[in-house]
Amino acid sequence: MNIDQALMDPAQVFDEPGDVLEEASLSREEKIKILRRWEFDAREREVAEEENMAGVQDSRLGDILAALNRLGATDENSHSPPTKQGGE
């Protein structure tokens, strides 16, 4: 598994967010970074769809947030300003 590729485009490396959790070669912190990137990408797609831009319908945001929850990483962006992209 190429961690640099996973950090740039998680959807190209993993079929679904739950697969990130199963990857034994990743630390908890790396898993969170990958899932946060995937979350940002999913939110970007949702913003584009809100603005009537063509995009992929299935963002998997719910699955991504569930995976982050399983890692105990749900409140790590609570200090960020509110944006549609999650404060990134």
Side-chain angles (χ1 to χ4, degrees):
M1 197 228 26
N2 182 339
I3 189 159
D4 292 328
Q5 179 65 31
L7 287 167
M8 270 187 14
D9 191 357
Q12 290 295 317
V13 177
F14 299 100
D15 291 328
E16 54 189 73
D19 294 343
V20 177
L21 300 177
E22 304 300 322
E23 182 58 53
S25 66
L26 296 172
S27 69
R28 177 182 179 272
E29 291 75 25
E30 290 169 329
K31 291 175 183 181
I32 290 170
K33 283 182 183 180
I34 290 167
L35 288 166
R36 288 282 181 219
R37 175 55 192 228
W38 208 340
E39 176 188 10
F40 181 81
D41 293 345
R43 290 185 188 279
E44 284 284 291
R45 279 191 292 278
E46 287 185 354
V47 169
E49 288 173 17
E50 278 183 24
E51 296 173 356
N52 295 321
M53 296 177 179
V56 178
Q57 296 293 327
D58 181 19
S59 72
R60 297 194 167 181
L61 184 57
D63 294 336
I64 295 163
L65 295 175
L68 284 165
N69 186 41
R70 286 183 57 196
L71 289 171
T74 55
D75 295 325
E76 291 181 10
N77 271 346
S78 62
H79 63 279
S80 299
T83 67
K84 291 181 181 180
Q85 293 87 356
E88 290 285 329

